[in-house]
Amino acid sequence: MSTVAELGAEISERVGRWVPHDGYLLVGLDPVTGAGCFLAEENAYGPSAKRELEIEEAASGPSPWRTPGPVLRLGPDATVRHGPQVRSAMAADGFGAALRVAVRWGELVLLRGHGRSFTTAESAAVERLVTPLADRVRRFVTDNPLHPVHHSPPGVVVVNSADEITTSTPSARAALRALTSSGNLLDPIRNITHLARQAPTLSRLPTPTGWLALHAERTAPAPDTDVVITIQPAAGTVLLPAVAAWYGITPAERTIIEQALQGLPGKQIARRLHLSPHTVNDHFKSIYRKTHVHSREELLAGLG
């Protein structure tokens, strides 16, 4: 499995042939919840700008660039403008313009320094790349077989209203260190914290050693209260919806997997779903092909 940093560098280099840029962020999104699940960046926003962006986007509801298709220019001649706090934080980091493009599995943000705007022609050039960009982000996950889940104790992180981590268990710190050392440059705490201030949020993170699940919710009804985040291996019914989306598992195939997760043999699955054993076997073969595993045992190991 290539690292997230390598994926970001590859996409930046390809897009840069048409649209030169000074920095970039490539964000992968959980395909079910829309929460961040990986991040690659180079010469990008600093912590203050990132925090202001998360606050602004969480408060405004679903972002238009989280829907595949739109390419939005932000800057002096912007199609969309950020609020003053975000613009000030961007300026402090040396950026005057951004070009944001949504793909099915995430978003790409290209950055330029002061005095350098993106043109409408460059927006159109990037828009033509939406489909291949989406395909490359998806293949970052799906070119690899499902890894067996690495079981470890759940960890807990508590974030206060100033977005400061006030408590973290040893297992949570170990999980976050592993993400960083593996090249997954995700800042998972910031993103899921701000989403959780609106509603409980779940994100499933693909890593070289299996999937992690982050679940975050407020400790009280007020939006400025602490947020508690649990970090643990993603497995079973928690993982399946995201895996089904990433790997293109059909609803019928997902139902077969749900029965298999209950430990039912093929013949019993066929009886329960009123299918022939041959049809169930065909579904399993399709699932194995899509997830790059070779047996039911490998499939269930990958789903924990």
Side-chain angles (χ1 to χ4, degrees):
M1 183 178 189
S2 60
T3 67
V4 178
E6 291 169 341
L7 173 69
E10 174 194 331
I11 287 180
S12 174
E13 190 276 330
R14 290 185 179 184
V15 175
R17 299 169 192 171
W18 288 271
V19 184
H21 47 277
D22 301 323
Y24 71 87
L25 298 94
L26 175 68
V27 182
L29 301 176
D30 184 297
V32 181
T33 66
C37 64
F38 56 79
L39 168 66
E41 59 184 346
E42 184 175 353
N43 189 30
Y45 299 127
S48 178
K50 286 181 180 177
R51 182 172 187 266
E52 294 297 340
L53 280 163
E54 294 288 359
I55 292 172
E56 181 177 273
E57 293 186 10
S60 63
S63 300
W65 40 76
R66 297 289 170 94
T67 302
V71 176
L72 303 178
R73 286 180 293 121
L74 302 111
D77 57 347
T79 54
V80 170
R81 289 186 179 274
H82 283 307
Q85 290 86 354
V86 173
R87 294 200 302 271
S88 176
M90 285 178 61
D93 289 337
F95 298 114
L99 188 67
R100 302 185 64 160
V101 55
V103 298
R104 170 66 179 86
W105 311 100
E107 65 176 297
L108 174 67
V109 183
L110 306 179
L111 299 168
R112 279 182 179 167
H114 293 302
R116 301 183 61 221
S117 299
F118 290 98
T119 67
T120 55
E122 288 173 325
S123 296
V126 172
E127 192 161 4
R128 290 192 293 270
L129 299 174
V130 166
T131 298
L133 284 174
D135 180 64
R136 182 64 188 93
V137 173
R138 179 172 180 263
R139 287 190 293 107
F140 169 71
V141 175
T142 62
D143 278 355
N144 303 281
L146 286 174
H147 292 283
V149 172
H150 175 70
H151 291 285
S152 58
V156 176
V157 172
V158 179
V159 182
N160 66 16
S161 59
D163 294 336
E164 300 166 335
I165 295 177
T166 57
T167 304
S168 61
T169 63
S171 54
R173 292 193 292 273
L176 294 175
R177 283 196 301 270
L179 282 173
T180 302
S181 64
S182 70
N184 190 332
L185 303 179
L186 171 69
D187 182 354
I189 302 304
R190 178 184 291 107
N191 174 257
I192 203 167
T193 294
H194 288 285
L195 292 174
R197 296 198 188 285
Q198 309 303 313
T201 304
L202 169 69
S203 184
R204 287 143 290 210
L205 285 58
T207 80
T209 58
W211 291 76
L212 285 178
L214 271 63
H215 181 270
E217 58 183 304
R218 298 184 310 222
T219 57
D224 58 350
T225 54
D226 290 354
V227 171
V228 176
I229 303 167
T230 59
I231 306 173
Q232 60 189 14
T237 56
V238 171
L239 177 57
L240 181 55
V243 164
W246 280 112
Y247 285 86
I249 302 296
T250 68
E253 292 165 350
R254 178 172 166 176
T255 301
I256 296 292
I257 296 174
E258 289 169 346
Q259 302 300 309
L261 285 170
Q262 297 178 33
L264 298 180
K267 290 183 179 179
Q268 191 170 345
I269 292 173
R271 288 195 298 270
R272 177 174 286 191
L273 300 179
H274 306 290
L275 300 172
S276 71
H278 178 76
T279 298
V280 171
N281 287 335
D282 282 346
H283 281 312
F284 272 120
K285 290 177 182 178
S286 176
I287 294 165
Y288 300 158
R289 183 179 66 254
K290 292 177 179 179
T291 57
H292 310 295
V293 301
H294 301 93
S295 67
R296 176 178 170 136
E297 289 72 23
E298 283 188 44
L299 174 69
L300 296 182
L303 291 170

